[in-house]
Amino acid sequence: MIRHIYDITSIQTGVFAKPADTGDIVYLQAKHFDENGQLAAKLHADLSTSGISNKHILKYGDILFAAKGTKNFATAYEKHNLPAVASTSFFVLRLTDKNVLPEYLAWFLNHPNTLTLLKAQAIGTSIPSISKQVLESLEIKIPNVETQQIILKIANLRKQEKKLNQQIEFLTDKKIQQQIINAIK
C-alpha cells in the first residue's frame, strides 16, 4: 500500500534551546550522530526541562529526521536512549499508523533513492533545508509488518557485513604495513 508521510505520522519541529553543562534532559543535535545516523557521541543531560513542553520530549518510536544541511538522515529513538528533546535541526515524526514500524520508516527515509529525491527539493544555497511540506508529501510503500521486519533484518545484516569488511580491510593494511617494515629491517 502506498501512503503519504502525512497519512501515517504527525510531524513537529525540534526545540530551539541553549544547552548548558548540566540539566535534566539531553538536547540532541546533528553533531551527536555519525554519517549513518547512529549516535556517535556520549550523551549527557545538558538541558533543563523547565519551559519544555511534554509534547517535545521524545518517545520510543519517534523518528528524528535531520532536515538541515548536507548530512540528512533519519533515526528511530530507542527505549535505551536517555530522555531527550530534538534540536531545530530535526523534524520529529511520530507515527500515527500502528502498521508501520519506526525502524522501517527510518530505513525508508535513509534509502539513497529517498534521500536523493528529498535533497533535490531542498531549499537554500548556503545551508540547504528540506521543508516540512516536502517531507509530508513524500510517498512511502508500506508492506505488511512481517515484510517490514524482514527488510530490516536484511538491512542490518548488510550493515554488519560492511562493518566486517572495513575491519578486514584495516587488518589487512596493518598486516601488509608490518610485513613491509619487517622486509626493510
Side-chain angles (χ1 to χ4, degrees):
M1 162 181 13
I2 296 178
R3 309 270 308 273
H4 288 94
I5 296 294
Y6 65 76
D7 290 326
I8 62 168
T9 67
S10 64
I11 301 176
Q12 64 184 18
T13 58
V15 175
F16 179 77
K18 294 280 185 194
D21 290 332
T22 61
D24 317 304
I25 198 164
V26 174
Y27 186 59
L28 286 176
Q29 301 175 62
K31 70 180 182 179
H32 293 125
F33 296 87
D34 67 14
E35 64 278 353
N36 299 314
Q38 302 299 311
L39 280 173
K42 183 171 167 64
L43 302 175
H44 68 280
D46 58 356
L47 189 65
S48 171
T49 53
S50 64
I52 303 287
S53 169
N54 276 343
K55 74 176 187 173
H56 288 291
I57 297 175
L58 296 173
K59 295 175 176 49
Y60 166 70
D62 286 350
I63 294 95
L64 302 176
F65 180 74
K68 294 181 181 175
T70 56
K71 185 174 113 176
N72 305 112
F73 63 88
T75 187
Y77 187 74
E78 299 173 355
K79 287 180 183 175
H80 66 270
N81 292 141
L82 296 171
V85 294
S87 72
T88 55
S89 297
F90 296 101
F91 285 122
V92 178
L93 292 81
R94 192 160 284 164
L95 284 164
T96 56
D97 185 333
K98 300 303 178 202
N99 293 315
V100 182
L101 299 174
E103 297 82 5
Y104 175 77
L105 179 54
W107 170 84
F108 175 81
L109 291 171
N110 284 323
H111 193 279
N113 293 348
T114 305
L115 287 174
T116 299
L117 180 68
L118 290 171
K119 286 180 181 196
Q121 298 178 67
I123 53 175
T125 52
S126 61
I127 300 176
S129 181
I130 297 166
S131 73
K132 181 179 177 183
Q133 292 76 22
V134 167
L135 188 58
E136 286 177 326
S137 65
L138 184 65
E139 289 184 336
I140 177 173
K141 183 167 179 142
I142 304 169
N144 62 44
V145 172
E146 295 78 23
T147 303
Q148 291 176 52
Q149 290 170 333
I150 291 168
I151 289 168
L152 293 170
K153 283 180 184 176
I154 292 169
N156 285 332
L157 287 170
R158 177 64 179 135
K159 272 189 213 172
Q160 289 174 2
E161 179 186 30
K162 284 181 177 181
K163 193 174 187 178
L164 289 171
N165 282 334
Q166 287 175 340
Q167 289 174 342
I168 290 169
E169 186 69 27
F170 172 77
L171 292 172
T172 302
D173 282 347
K174 190 174 175 180
K175 176 183 167 189
I176 290 171
Q177 291 302 323
Q178 187 60 49
Q179 288 172 338
I180 291 170
I181 289 172
N182 290 344
I184 294 171
K185 292 181 183 178

